[in-house]
Amino acid sequence: MSTQAVAAREVFNAMHASQPDEVVSCSTADDVAAAIKRAREENLRVAVRAGGHSIAGLSAIDGGMLIDLAPMNGVQVDPERKIAKVGGGALWSELDQATQAHGLATPGGVVSDTGVAGLTLGGGYGWLRRKHGLSSDNVLEAEVVTADGRVLHTDADSHRDLFWAIRGGGGNFGVATRLKFRLHELASIVGGMLLLPGSPEVIEGLVAAAEAAPEELSGIANVMVAPPLPFIPAAQHGQLVVMALLAYAGDAEAGERALAPFRALADPIADMVQPMPYAGLFEPADEIEVVEESARSLFLDRFDRAAAEAVVEHLRASTASMAVAQLRVLGGAMARVPAEATAFAHRDRRFMAAVGCVYEDAADRPVHHAWADGFAAALRRDGRPGVYVNFLSDEGPERVREAYPGPTWDRLVEVKRRYDPGNLFRLNQNIPPAPGPA
Ligand SMILES: Cc1cc2nc3c(=O)[nH]c(=O)nc-3n(C[C@H](O)[C@H](O)[C@H](O)COP(=O)(O)OP(=O)(O)OC[C@H]3O[C@@H](n4cnc5c(N)ncnc54)[C@H](O)[C@@H]3O)c2cc1C
């Protein structure tokens, strides 16, 4: 364990740059336990960082102690048993590289520089969600250091309540120092970007095609104004487009068949969908310096022409430098897990939407926040609440509750009381151990 004054791994979002009093760089579970014990003794605020990609900036802390897990990035793959053991600070790129060397994979996110632990503890939506479920659905066991400094092994037989809670409940219950995943055979995929005109017809049709597609196919439709990128014809720059990112987890011929309905929606502006290794989906992203952003996410049960029109209307109305609506069709393997089986309980929701914009000047924040709220309200016409915890910004306790529907919240509070009664782990989308302010 080493203690340093500067963060070893930067946070993704420059909006959330911060200065902890100390960064405790941990290499083992015992390092984490020692840091936690000292934080308790000295009454320090504690933040935990794996990949640094918290959308709400929850792994950034001013003052207090940052437990930095970046050195715990080991990955061990057992190709015979199809399992991988992953350190609590590993990135998806590290896990994917190790598993793909054996033609195997476990569901991760859609970019490779997020942390395995941060993404998995909240649920984990990626390119394999309809075929193999969420990242957290593939966790077989975990090692967790709890607020009292114990290093616990948890799985379906031991500390079952904790095992249930960490699959969706985020970092509320302790620091995950190791996760064991189930792996699946995945030699290659058919995937890439299909760029289509951003009309209401195409947006509605694309969502319908994604829902009708075989479970091997998962994707994201990004509706946005076309940026001046080299692969986009100049005539399209500034026009509304759908940048559909598609992944078919199966052989090339079946993939081509599954993709035909998408290609038939309109003459593609660009078609880069092709057979490739799974890792090919994770090309390094353009470095976008996010200065200010306003974003909202929600689940939907209906997506019709009126919703598609609302998407077009709100994107056109945005005055930000960039605005986007991201649409994901759910279902398949992730929907077959019973709602009560894990702390991620939104199993029956059909779609997930995220709307957001980026801009430069904090003074414009109220305008853009109002835009994002209005956009989300226009999509949520059924009035049913629900949000994915890892896509929450800093939106207050009511929105955190929306992440845990029905009896899930009460059960999480019980588990929190058992493992972290003093709410040491509160720099997260917090589940307080007692009602009222934490
Ligand atoms: C560019 C980008 C793309 C994304 N894409 C996806 C996506 O495709 N699918 C998806 O599901 N989500 C996605 N997300 C959301 C992502 O799942 C969350 O932001 C997640 O928290 C990031 O994990 P991290 O380890 O990188 O973050 P960090 O900022 O390091 O951690 C976030 C929080 O997770 C908790 N945490 C992290 N590690 C541990 C640990 N080992 N033990 C206990 N608690 C821990 C802590 O509470 C911490 O505050 C994306 C986010 C970004 C910024």
Side-chain angles (χ1 to χ4, degrees):
M1 173 167 65
S2 70
T3 303
Q4 12 180 144
V6 291
R9 187 179 274 163
E10 297 296 324
V11 285
F12 167 76
N13 191 331
M15 229 172 120
H16 303 305
S18 65
Q19 195 56 59
D21 283 339
E22 59 177 314
V23 180
V24 184
S25 238
C26 295
S27 305
T28 65
D30 288 342
D31 287 350
V32 174
I36 287 173
K37 280 185 191 152
R38 192 162 59 75
R40 276 176 53 134
E41 283 160 15
E42 297 177 18
N43 200 20
L44 302 175
R45 288 163 67 239
V46 175
V48 178
R49 181 179 302 168
H53 269 56
S54 167
I55 286 173
L58 292 165
S59 55
I61 183 174
D62 273 318
M65 176 193 279
L66 172 64
I67 296 180
D68 181 19
L69 302 170
M72 301 186 74
N73 63 346
V75 179
Q76 293 163 269
V77 178
D78 181 338
E80 300 304 316
R81 293 168 61 214
K82 294 202 178 86
I83 53 165
K85 290 183 187 164
V86 187
L91 302 181
W92 279 101
S93 52
E94 292 161 333
L95 175 53
D96 288 337
Q97 203 180 4
T99 56
Q100 278 284 278
H102 303 281
L104 300 168
T106 199
V110 300
V111 296
S112 59
D113 50 1
T114 40
V116 173
L119 183 135
T120 301
L121 298 178
Y125 281 87
W127 300 117
L128 304 175
R129 62 183 180 269
R130 299 178 80 234
K131 171 83 170 153
H132 294 305
L134 300 179
S135 307
S136 52
D137 297 335
N138 289 274
V139 174
L140 299 170
E141 46 182 77
E143 179 183 77
V144 180
V145 184
T146 47
D148 55 6
R150 283 182 299 163
V151 181
L152 299 181
H153 171 92
T154 169
D155 60 19
D157 298 317
S158 44
H159 297 288
R160 289 167 58 178
D161 52 352
L162 184 61
F163 190 56
W164 172 84
I166 60 166
R167 288 173 297 154
N172 271 285
F173 309 95
V175 179
T177 44
R178 201 177 58 235
L179 295 165
K180 182 164 133 187
F181 287 92
R182 180 189 303 117
L183 303 177
H184 307 272
E185 284 181 23
L186 187 63
S188 64
I189 55 131
V190 184
M193 190 183 67
L194 185 67
L195 194 66
L196 298 167
S199 66
E201 296 78 8
V202 170
I203 298 167
E204 184 193 10
L206 192 134
V207 168
E211 218 180 4
E215 290 180 6
E216 282 76 9
L217 194 137
S218 296
I220 304 180
N222 289 304
V223 191
M224 61 196 296
V225 168
L229 293 173
F231 61 84
I232 304 178
Q236 296 292 335
H237 296 172
Q239 302 296 312
L240 219 51
V241 292
V242 188
M243 213 177 256
L245 303 168
L246 302 167
Y248 181 88
D251 72 66
E253 213 175 294
E256 291 299 321
R257 274 198 305 277
L259 287 156
F262 295 88
R263 290 179 164 130
L265 288 168
D267 280 342
I269 301 166
D271 186 347
M272 303 176 183
V273 186
Q274 57 188 308
M276 60 167 75
Y278 177 58
L281 283 170
F282 304 104
E283 295 299 331
D286 290 334
E287 290 290 325
I288 301 174
E289 172 90 345
V290 179
V291 183
E292 288 289 332
E293 70 176 345
S294 301
R296 291 289 177 264
S297 181
L298 67 163
F299 290 111
L300 304 173
D301 296 317
R302 189 156 53 111
F303 194 91
D304 53 14
R305 178 62 63 90
E309 278 165 1
V311 168
V312 169
E313 185 190 318
H314 283 81
L315 289 173
R316 288 212 171 113
S318 170
T319 54
S321 41
M322 194 188 91
V324 65
Q326 268 197 347
L327 306 168
R328 288 170 168 83
V329 169
L330 310 177
M334 62 159 286
R336 283 194 289 276
V337 176
E340 66 283 2
T342 70
F344 180 94
H346 295 289
R347 300 291 178 172
D348 64 333
R349 306 306 298 264
R350 285 170 64 195
F351 313 104
M352 184 161 67
V355 301
C357 63
V358 296
Y359 46 98
E360 287 77 34
D361 193 347
D364 296 336
R365 203 179 283 164
V367 171
H368 298 300
H369 272 24
W371 170 85
D373 283 334
F375 196 164
L379 293 177
R380 181 182 275 165
R381 284 168 307 134
D382 53 20
R384 188 177 166 205
V387 64
Y388 169 39
V389 74
N390 276 351
F391 281 1
L392 275 174
S393 313
D394 184 5
E395 298 173 45
E398 282 310 310
R399 283 282 277 165
V400 181
R401 282 203 71 148
E402 267 192 51
Y404 302 109
T408 306
W409 176 263
D410 295 338
R411 205 171 152 191
L412 281 168
V413 172
E414 267 174 45
V415 182
K416 178 76 173 178
R417 275 192 200 127
R418 224 166 285 148
Y419 291 93
D420 185 15
N423 209 4
L424 180 75
F425 301 111
R426 62 179 176 278
L427 287 178
N428 43 41
Q429 300 294 358
N430 195 231
I431 299 161

